[in-house]
Amino acid sequence: GSSSTSSSDRITQSTLTNALNSVGTYGTASVRITNDSYVNVSDLKAAFQGNTGKMIQFVCYNGNSVAYQYYMNYRQVSAMTGTTYKLGMDLDAASTTNLFNKYFRNDISVVSSEAEINGAKAVFAVKMDLSGLNTSNLKVYIYDPDANRYDLVATPYLSIDA
């Protein structure tokens, strides 16, 4: 992701509302994003008014393939406390990978996101290269910027598609 944003990277309330209104009562709306996209939490909350049974899927493409995607529902959005939600991900995350490699001898694959959880559970899908990794023994860590440390996610819900 990028630390700077422009108005063209913002996903507007109108875009969110139109997407949610275009699907059925319990449908999933899809919104295409870039790695620099962000959304105002107030826009998300307003768009979900009257659309409480629906989900929204933010999708970032790499060519014709999905690079990553976020899923959000009304309950998650209602729990958000921040003002902005950055939707970018770094699928290379070289600086984090180098840091881990400096202190550990594990095979790792790192995804870095600037998305602040803001009280909501993070639900996302990422296309990663897991070749050479023991996928039956994966560990998931999340960075805590306040404590400047990585914490093990005790029971992550994850699935791996071939």
Side-chain angles (χ1 to χ4, degrees), residues 79-147:
M80 289 181 163
T81 56
T83 57
T84 315
Y85 197 91
K86 295 180 184 177
L87 296 165
M89 280 193 178
D90 180 355
L91 302 181
D92 182 25
S95 64
T96 304
T97 301
N98 292 337
L99 177 68
F100 271 84
N101 285 335
K102 182 176 177 181
Y103 297 102
F104 301 101
R105 302 227 183 277
N106 300 347
D107 292 325
I108 65 171
S109 188
V110 178
V111 172
S112 177
S113 172
E114 291 184 31
E116 296 177 19
I117 305 308
N118 296 328
K121 286 185 179 179
V123 180
F124 57 90
V126 181
K127 184 175 183 174
M128 299 176 69
D129 180 7
L130 299 177
S131 60
L133 298 181
N134 178 356
T135 57
S136 66
N137 189 25
L138 291 178
K139 302 281 190 249
V140 176
Y141 292 85
I142 190 165
Y143 179 68
D144 179 347
D146 295 328

Side-chain angles (χ1 to χ4, degrees), residues 15-158:
T15 298
L16 298 167
T17 301
N18 289 341
L20 286 166
N21 288 342
S22 72
V23 298
T25 305
Y26 299 104
T28 300
S30 184
V31 174
R32 191 176 189 129
I33 61 171
T34 69
N35 204 40
D36 293 319
S37 293
Y38 69 96
V39 63
N40 291 335
V41 172
S42 60
D43 290 345
L44 269 171
K45 289 182 177 187
F48 268 101
Q49 294 304 313
N51 290 303
T52 58
K54 300 177 184 182
M55 288 186 67
I56 197 158
Q57 170 191 37
F58 295 101
V59 185
C60 184
Y61 289 89
N62 181 6
N64 292 328
S65 298
V66 172
Y68 62 86
Q69 53 194 342
Y70 287 92
Y71 297 89
M72 293 182 190
N73 63 32
Y74 173 75
R75 194 172 324 150
Q76 292 164 318
V77 169
S78 295
M80 289 181 163
T81 56
T83 57
T84 315
Y85 197 91
K86 295 180 184 177
L87 296 165
M89 280 193 178
D90 180 355
L91 302 181
D92 182 25
S95 64
T96 304
T97 301
N98 292 337
L99 177 68
F100 271 84
N101 285 335
K102 182 176 177 181
Y103 297 102
F104 301 101
R105 302 227 183 277
N106 300 347
D107 292 325
I108 65 171
S109 188
V110 178
V111 172
S112 177
S113 172
E114 291 184 31
E116 296 177 19
I117 305 308
N118 296 328
K121 286 185 179 179
V123 180
F124 57 90
V126 181
K127 184 175 183 174
M128 299 176 69
D129 180 7
L130 299 177
S131 60
L133 298 181
N134 178 356
T135 57
S136 66
N137 189 25
L138 291 178
K139 302 281 190 249
V140 176
Y141 292 85
I142 190 165
Y143 179 68
D144 179 347
D146 295 328
N148 191 27
R149 70 173 187 235
Y150 290 89
D151 294 322
L152 179 66
V153 177
T155 53
Y157 171 77
L158 59 96

